[in-house]
Every structure is written in structure tokens, then in C-alpha cells.
Amino acid sequence: LGLTALAVCSLTAPAYGDKGTSKARSCSDIRQFYSGKGFSLDGVPQSEISGEHLRICPQGYTCCTSDMEDKLATLSRREMEGLLKEAGRSLQTSLTGQYKAFDGYFVEVLNRSAISLQETFTTTWGLLYSQNSQVFTDLYTDLRHYYRGSNVNLEEVLNEFWARLLEKLFYQANKQYFIGEDYLECVSKQIETLRPFGDTPRAMKMAVTRTFVAARSFVQGLVVSGDVVRKVSQVPQSQECTRAMMRMTYCPHCRGMASARPCANYCSNVMKGCLANQADLNTEWRHLAETLIQVADRFDGPSGVDSVVLSIPYRISEAMFTMMENLVTINTKVRAQIGAHASSCIQLTEPCKIGKVTVEDNLVSSSNKMGKLVSDVTMRLRDMQPYWVSLPGILCSDRVATGTGAEDKCWNGMNRARYLPEVMGDGLASQINNPEVEIDITKPDMTIRQQIMQLKIMTHRLKNALNGQDVDFQDSSDDVSGSGSGMCADDMCSRGPRLLVPVTTRPIRYPYLPENRESKSSANHNLPCITIYLLSLLILLHRR
């Protein structure tokens, strides 16, 4: 009987310590560690106890109670979520920096364009500009509002600008005359054939729309990207992930193996399981980054932001010049279309005299600042493309065992030994056989799925922007190229601004069209003012 009792005792006696010593190991190390984490030492064992009570860690002899295990599991979850938020903040900071750099420069270029128009037109057009400056101010205000994301139809803004400009120019130049209402009916059907500003409004609409749609979509893309990172980085970890993180991070302390670091493949499986939903962002995240890069590439070069925005004053002045220069042709078209009815529409008693108007080309070649911005944002966007699938490796990099013999002496979730299971792939579907994290692959995280949809929507907007389409208004406005397809060919959309040839003589001041009698230009003509009234009333009728 004595021998039997001795045999039973020997089978149930604990094998203390890694070296099989007969004395229970002290828990002084974990007591110090546990206290250092801010927890009370009440109830913490002085030496190892049997671990049948443990629900997460291996149930061998341990220095952890159930309460300690719960508290350390909560701590591991909080630390994991903190690491994700910190990684997310770093990426958000990069995206915000790119947004501020591009946005600041775009606003600067737009302000330079507005100032250039004011300075150039004050000299070139004199009172004709100063008394109608609100038309131009309103244009730039609307462009700013559009860029900032206001619900503005850019095509309507440009059409309205040209309509108002035409009205103001002819009224200001000929306000001493009176025109009868019956003339409206004579000219109402001729607006499409007159084209008083030539091809400039169409060309400017193509260039400005393409540039502003792309710029607005680009900055929105950067904002949406940062917002997605912020929201996904705040997604709480699942209970299964909490258990896995506890087993990997703090169970070695409970087993008296504080120095044991996780095996590399073990850590990878834990992180790939915990971040399976995040990894599913990868495809759409890469698509968005690639499309942002494509849009950014359009901002530099001869048809880029600088050229288009800074050329707005010169395009407008060119159009005004075209109108003044071609009054005879316009009048001929009107007579040809209206015929005998023209003489009964209006009676004018004195002719209009017009002198050729020229504008100096003050558009200075842009610096390479936009080129540098594009290069910088492209580099950063490429760097961020693998972010969601690289997170497991990033979070494991500082904690896994490395060096000689690491694979055989690392913590594998149970003991110091080699980790045998294979490493899982990325994404939720790949975790069906993950040995470390139990995951129901049929129940994706809905917050992350919503963010995947946001990435898809933003990528769609950017792809529309590449084609000159504003997704906000593509159902209510014609396409910018006038083809009706919603697309504009690259050779059309990429045309650079057609600037006026610089002149060597001082531009002619042109305060009032009829009073500019001192002009010695060979383009002087004595015209009936019928054309002026024709066009002004035409535009009024059109606007009504």
C-alpha cells in the first residue's frame, strides 16, 4: 500500500521549472512585471500554482490566476488596438501632408490667376473692365466653391460667365442706343451660328473642366483615403483575436518564460487572423492609389494645372478680342440669316467704330513646384499601396524571436519550441484553417466592408475625372467635349492654352468701344450698331 501511494504521488507531483527542479519556482518576475503594468498584487501567487483554471494560456503550472489572465488579455487587446491606431495615424499624417501641399499650391495658382486678370484687364480694357469686374470676380468665386466641393455645376458656371460677359460688353459699349423688343424675335434663332467669342469658350470649358474636376477629385481622394484609414484603425478587435494576442504576448510570462519571444510564423498567423478583415481592403486600396497616381500625372506639363489655371485671363481676353475683331463677320451672318426682316428690327442713326485690341502675354513659365509635388505624392502613394497586407509583418517585426537557434527556442503558443503550422494567406477567406485565431469567414466586419465600398466609389470618381467627367453632374450636363459621349479624347483634352502672340507696342486702352476714336489700327471699321444690339438681346433672350 505504501508503495502504491508513493507511485500515485510521484505521478501527480509537479515537474517544476524548465530544469525539472523539485522546488516550486518563484513568481517574483511576473509580480514585478504585473505591478509595472499598473495592476494590484493582491491575489498574485508568490510561487507557481496548478493551472487548471486558465481559459487562454496552457494549463500547466503557472503564476497567473484567472483574474490576472483576464486583465492581461484586456491589456493585450488595448495594446493591439493602440498599435493599429498609431500605425494608422502615421499613414494619415502622410496623406494629410500630401493634401495640404497640393491644396495649398492649387489655391495659390488660382489666386495668382485672379490677380493676373485684374492687373492685365485694368490696363488693357480700362473702364470696360472696371465697371464690369464683378462678372470676373464671380467666375473665380464659383471656381473656388467648386474646387472646395460645393454643389456647383461647373459647365453651367462657365456658360453663365460667357453669357454675362457678352451682355455686359455690348451694353457698356452701346448704352447710348435704344433697341426695340421686336428685334428679339429676329435674332433668337441665331445664337448657335454667331459664336461671338469664337472657339475660346469651348476650348476653355474643356481645359478648365478637366483640370478642376481632376483637382477636386484628387484632393477628395486623399481625404477619403485618410478617413478610411482612421475608421478602419478604430475597429475593435474580436474576442478571438484578444485570446490569440494574450496567448502570444503574456502567456509566456505566466509560464515563467518572460524572455521567450514569439516564433516568427506563429506571430504571422496571429496577426493575419486578427487583421484578416483589414487585409481585404488591399485590392480596392491599391486601385485607389494607382488611380490617384494617374490623376496626379495629369497635373504637370503643358496641359497641367499651372498652364490651364494661369491662362484663364488670356483665354478670356482672347475671346473678347475675337468678338471685337469679327463684328463685321458676325453682322454679315446675321443679315444672311435674317434677310429682309433685319431692316425692320431696329433703326440706328450712327455707326460704331472699333479698333483692334491687343493683350500682352504675361504668362510666366511655371516653376517646377508642381512637378516636385507630383513626384512626391506619387512616391508616397506607391509606398502606401501594400499597407493593409503588410500590417502583420510590421506589427510582428519588433516582437518575434530572431538570431541563431530562434526557430527552436521561440514561444510557439505552448512552450519553447519550433512552430510547425504553415503561415496563412492574407484576407478573411484565407483564415479558414488558421490554427491560432478562430474566425467565421462568413461574417465579415461591416465597418470595414463599408470602407471598401467607399474606396470603390472614390476610385470610380477618379476614373471619371481622368476622362474629364464630373460624376456629380454627369447625368444633368453635357460632356465637356460636346460629343455627347461623356468622354473627351486625349488629343483634345490635353491641348495647351492658345495664348496671344506678345506684342512689342503698348496695348491700347479701350474704355468704351464707340469712344475709341483715336485708334490708328488698320482694323478700324464703321459699322451699324445693329450687331451689338443683336448680340446683347440675343443673350438676354437665351438666358430667359
Side-chain angles (χ1 to χ4, degrees):
L1 180 64
L3 291 174
T4 302
L6 181 60
V8 171
C9 289
S10 66
L11 288 173
T12 57
Y16 291 111
D18 286 337
K19 296 182 179 180
T21 57
S22 59
K23 185 177 180 181
R25 286 186 303 183
S26 169
C27 291
S28 59
D29 287 346
I30 194 170
R31 286 174 61 86
Q32 183 178 356
F33 167 80
Y34 194 67
S35 175
K37 291 291 184 180
F39 298 117
S40 169
L41 290 177
D42 292 344
V44 177
Q46 295 286 346
S47 59
E48 285 185 327
I49 58 176
S50 180
E52 291 86 353
H53 56 278
L54 298 178
R55 296 187 299 276
I56 301 175
C57 296
Q59 293 184 335
Y61 283 86
T62 182
C63 284
C64 289
T65 64
S66 294
D67 182 63
M68 291 174 65
E69 189 180 44
D70 290 341
K71 288 180 178 178
L72 287 173
T74 300
L75 175 63
S76 67
R77 175 177 180 170
R78 190 164 62 243
E79 289 176 340
M80 173 69 167
E81 291 174 350
L83 288 172
L84 291 176
K85 289 179 182 178
E86 184 60 35
R89 277 193 291 269
S90 177
L91 183 53
Q92 283 179 264
T93 298
S94 177
L95 289 166
T96 300
Q98 298 308 304
Y99 165 80
K100 288 182 177 179
F102 178 83
D103 177 71
Y105 185 69
F106 188 87
V107 172
E108 175 193 331
V109 171
L110 190 55
N111 290 339
R112 281 168 55 194
S113 179
I115 293 170
S116 173
L117 185 142
Q118 180 183 13
E119 293 175 346
T120 304
F121 280 41
T122 298
T123 300
T124 303
W125 297 97
L127 290 176
L128 191 60
Y129 164 70
S130 61
Q131 294 182 1
N132 299 283
S133 60
Q134 191 63 42
V135 176
F136 305 96
T137 301
D138 288 346
L139 172 64
Y140 279 93
T141 298
D142 287 336
L143 289 176
R144 289 188 183 93
H145 285 166
Y146 173 83
Y147 171 69
R148 288 299 181 201
S150 297
N151 188 25
V152 175
N153 187 318
L154 192 55
E155 184 175 2
E156 288 181 2
V157 163
L158 294 170
N159 289 341
E160 175 70 9
F161 165 74
W162 291 112
R164 290 181 64 196
L165 179 61
L166 185 60
E167 176 187 340
K168 295 292 185 181
L169 285 178
F170 284 113
Y171 173 80
Q172 190 71 23
N174 297 274
K175 60 184 178 181
Q176 69 271 36
Y177 300 119
F178 173 78
I179 186 168
E181 292 292 332
D182 55 350
Y183 195 73
L184 287 172
E185 186 177 352
C186 297
V187 300
S188 61
K189 298 179 181 180
Q190 310 307 317
I191 192 168
E192 295 296 332
T193 60
L194 293 178
R195 298 178 68 241
F197 295 115
D199 189 56
T200 300
R202 186 193 67 85
M204 178 171 152
K205 180 162 65 174
M206 286 169 54
V208 169
T209 300
R210 191 176 184 86
T211 296
F212 275 78
V213 167
R216 181 166 87 158
S217 299
F218 182 75
V219 294
Q220 286 177 348
L222 293 175
V223 171
V224 167
S225 299
D227 198 45
V228 167
V229 173
R230 178 180 61 81
K231 290 179 179 178
V232 173
S233 297
Q234 292 175 351
V235 171
Q237 292 298 303
S238 66
Q239 188 63 37
E240 291 77 11
C241 178
T242 299
R243 294 172 60 85
M245 287 299 300
M246 168 62 190
R247 189 179 304 110
M248 182 177 74
T249 306
Y250 293 126
C251 285
H253 290 268
C254 294
R255 292 293 302 274
M257 303 178 189
S259 63
R261 296 166 70 85
C263 301
N265 289 350
Y266 171 46
C267 184
S268 292
N269 276 342
V270 171
M271 293 299 183
K272 283 176 181 285
C274 287
L275 301 175
N277 281 282
Q278 287 85 338
D280 282 344
L281 286 156
N282 180 58
T283 299
E284 294 304 327
W285 182 258
R286 284 181 177 274
H287 286 167
L288 178 59
E290 289 167 359
T291 313
L292 280 168
I293 290 171
Q294 291 176 32
V295 174
D297 286 341
R298 297 283 184 90
F299 293 145
D300 195 20
S303 60
V305 168
D306 290 340
S307 297
V308 171
V309 178
L310 292 176
S311 71
I312 289 175
Y314 303 94
R315 288 180 183 268
I316 294 173
S317 193
E318 180 184 26
M320 293 167 67
F321 170 73
T322 299
M323 181 188 71
M324 300 306 178
E325 189 179 48
N326 295 317
L327 281 177
V328 173
T329 303
I330 293 171
N331 187 51
T332 301
K333 287 183 179 180
V334 172
R335 291 180 181 275
Q337 293 293 328
I338 298 178
H341 294 287
S343 60
S344 64
C345 291
I346 185 170
Q347 298 296 326
L348 296 176
T349 57
E350 69 177 88
C352 297
K353 290 186 177 181
I354 181 171
K356 185 175 182 179
V357 181
T358 56
V359 179
E360 287 182 332
D361 178 9
N362 294 319
L363 181 58
V364 180
S365 297
S366 176
S367 66
N368 61 357
K369 186 171 183 179
M370 178 54 72
K372 185 178 183 304
L373 285 173
V374 170
S375 175
D376 192 31
V377 74
T378 297
M379 178 186 70
R380 291 180 182 273
L381 288 171
R382 286 199 175 112
D383 288 344
M384 81 176 196
Q385 282 184 298
Y387 176 76
W388 297 109
V389 292
S390 66
L391 267 178
I394 293 172
L395 297 181
C396 283
S397 61
D398 293 333
R399 68 173 74 209
V400 299
T402 57
T404 304
E407 292 184 354
D408 296 321
K409 297 180 181 179
C410 53
W411 173 255
N412 66 5
M414 295 298 293
N415 213 324
R416 282 183 186 266
R418 179 181 290 269
Y419 182 75
L420 299 178
E422 63 177 348
V423 177
M424 299 293 101
D426 298 309
L428 190 61
S430 299
Q431 308 310 310
I432 189 169
N433 294 317
N434 192 316
E436 309 306 332
V437 188
E438 294 182 11
I439 299 178
D440 185 348
I441 65 171
T442 66
K443 296 180 180 179
D445 183 273
M446 295 314 297
T447 298
I448 292 178
R449 296 295 141 172
Q450 289 170 358
Q451 296 312 303
I452 291 174
M453 182 56 64
Q454 290 301 311
L455 293 175
K456 288 182 177 180
I457 291 171
M458 193 64 243
T459 300
H460 175 71
R461 289 177 58 86
L462 286 162
K463 288 182 177 179
N464 275 299
L466 285 170
N467 294 321
Q469 289 178 281
D470 188 349
V471 70
D472 290 337
F473 298 107
Q474 61 182 353
D475 293 331
S476 61
S477 65
D478 296 331
D479 88 280
V480 295
S481 68
S483 65
S485 65
M487 308 276 284
C488 61
D490 287 343
D491 59 338
M492 295 293 289
C493 295
S494 62
R495 285 177 56 190
R498 185 167 61 93
L499 302 179
L500 296 179
V501 178
V503 295
T504 55
T505 57
R506 191 170 181 269
I508 300 172
R509 287 182 177 269
Y510 203 56
Y512 290 91
L513 292 178
E515 297 175 4
N516 188 14
R517 305 182 185 274
E518 298 302 319
S519 173
K520 297 181 181 180
S521 167
S522 61
N524 282 359
H525 300 286
N526 291 331
L527 304 176
C529 290
I530 184 172
T531 306
I532 292 174
Y533 288 108
L534 164 68
L535 293 174
S536 62
L537 291 177
L538 172 64
I539 197 63
L540 286 172
L541 177 63
H542 180 63
R543 291 180 64 195
R544 290 178 184 177

